[in-house]
């Protein structure tokens, strides 16, 4: 049975004010001489968010409560716009079709996964982008733009690009892409504790979310 996922975005105005915590998992062993050995248990990261900091009004509280009900608490995942990382390019730049190399053609492979390169050198890894924002994806093959929707089809629920007949990349042609993307996320708890009087008095509730690793 596939996990439940509601293909809707958490309220954007609230998500962009959320606090973000990015976690990795490593093992550090201290040797008898005081030196250390360090090994990565996770190659990538996992993000945690608290959307309480994005609340600005009682109407925002109602939006969060309504969304919580819609997705069944932590039962179903949903789209979330990470305020710190939602572009294929630098934070202050505009996405373009040459931002990220997603593969190299061989004349037969027609499906390629959207990814984002993260880190450098020995800690570099490829973040799989499974929730691109429709209408923001641009694609190029050997630097030449392709039309998304006809030359190449996008699956917005998986981040897969499928090149159509006559547009499949030839040998050694580099495929690049640019896009905005959402992070698949769920509520971390099955309960929401909200007090309107406390909120209006300046007390911000904690409403934690956690990234889904797909």
């Amino acid at each position: 049975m596939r996990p439940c996922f509601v293909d809707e975005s958490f309220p954007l105005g609230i998500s962009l004010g959320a606090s973000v915590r990015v976690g990795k998992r490593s093992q550090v062993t201290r040797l008898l001489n005081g030196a250390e050995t360090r090994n990565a248990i996770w190659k990538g990261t996992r993000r945690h968010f608290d959307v309480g900091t994005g609340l600005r009004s009682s109407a925002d509280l109602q939006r969060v409560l309504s969304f919580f009900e819609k997705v069944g608490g932590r039962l179903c995942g949903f789209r979330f716009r990470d305020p710190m990382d939602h572009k294929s390019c630098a934070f202050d730049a505009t996405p373009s079709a040459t931002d990220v190399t997603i593969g190299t053609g061989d004349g037969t492979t027609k499906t390629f996964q959207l990814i984002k390169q993260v880190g450098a050198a020995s800690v570099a890894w490829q973040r799989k982008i499974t929730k691109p924002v429709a209408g923001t994806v641009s694609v190029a093959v050997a630097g030449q733009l392709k039309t998304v929707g006809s030359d190449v089809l996008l699956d917005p629920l998986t981040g897969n690009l499928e090149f159509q007949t006559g547009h499949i990349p030839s040998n050694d042609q580099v495929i690049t892409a640019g896009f905005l993307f959402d992070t698949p996320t769920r509520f971390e708890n099955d309960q929401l504790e909200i007090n309107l009087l406390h909120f209006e008095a300046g007390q911000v509730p904690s409403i934690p979310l956690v990234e889904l690793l797909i």
Side-chain angles (χ1 to χ4, degrees):
M1 182 177 178
R2 296 184 63 182
C4 174
F5 188 87
V6 176
D7 191 32
E8 294 187 23
S9 297
F10 188 87
L12 186 61
I14 301 173
S15 66
L16 293 179
S19 61
V20 183
R21 175 166 54 92
V22 181
K24 296 187 74 71
R25 182 166 292 181
S26 303
Q27 182 180 55
V28 179
T29 302
R30 189 175 298 277
L31 306 179
L32 291 177
N33 64 0
E36 294 178 344
T37 61
R38 297 180 297 279
N39 297 289
I41 297 176
W42 291 354
K43 185 69 171 178
T45 59
R46 191 175 197 183
R47 288 161 170 75
H48 295 257
F49 309 98
D50 194 324
V51 297
T53 56
L55 299 172
R56 296 293 180 265
S57 66
S58 58
D60 283 346
L61 285 173
Q62 291 293 335
R63 292 187 187 97
V64 172
L65 180 57
S66 176
F67 198 83
F68 180 84
E69 296 279 9
K70 178 179 289 188
V71 300
R74 61 179 181 172
L75 179 63
C76 296
F78 49 86
R79 288 175 174 265
F80 182 81
R81 190 68 53 86
D82 182 341
M84 301 303 297
D85 190 6
H86 56 265
K87 298 180 179 181
S88 58
C89 55
F91 183 80
D92 57 352
T94 301
S96 71
T98 56
D99 284 346
V100 180
T101 297
I102 63 171
T104 303
D106 58 12
T108 58
T109 301
K110 62 179 182 178
T111 302
F112 295 85
Q113 173 71 51
L114 289 179
I115 58 171
K116 183 176 181 180
Q117 304 289 344
V118 182
S122 62
V123 296
W125 61 286
Q126 292 182 347
R127 184 180 180 186
K128 186 178 178 182
I129 304 301
T130 61
K131 299 294 179 284
V133 178
T136 72
V137 179
S138 56
V139 179
V141 175
Q144 299 298 308
L145 283 173
K146 294 293 183 178
T147 302
V148 177
S150 57
D151 301 345
V152 57
L153 302 183
L154 168 71
D155 185 341
L157 289 177
T158 64
N160 281 330
L161 294 171
E162 182 177 339
F163 287 88
Q164 302 301 287
T165 301
H167 299 281
I168 297 173
S170 303
N171 285 335
D172 300 324
Q173 286 189 316
V174 175
I175 303 104
T176 57
F179 43 83
L180 298 179
F181 64 94
D182 294 320
T183 298
T185 305
R186 65 166 171 82
F187 282 93
E188 198 157 356
N189 300 313
D190 271 330
Q191 298 84 32
L192 276 187
E193 185 174 346
I194 297 174
N195 187 304
L196 185 57
L197 292 178
H198 288 175
F199 177 74
E200 291 177 344
Q203 295 184 25
V204 177
S206 177
I207 305 175
L209 312 178
V210 61
E211 179 183 6
L212 294 174
L213 300 182
I214 298 176

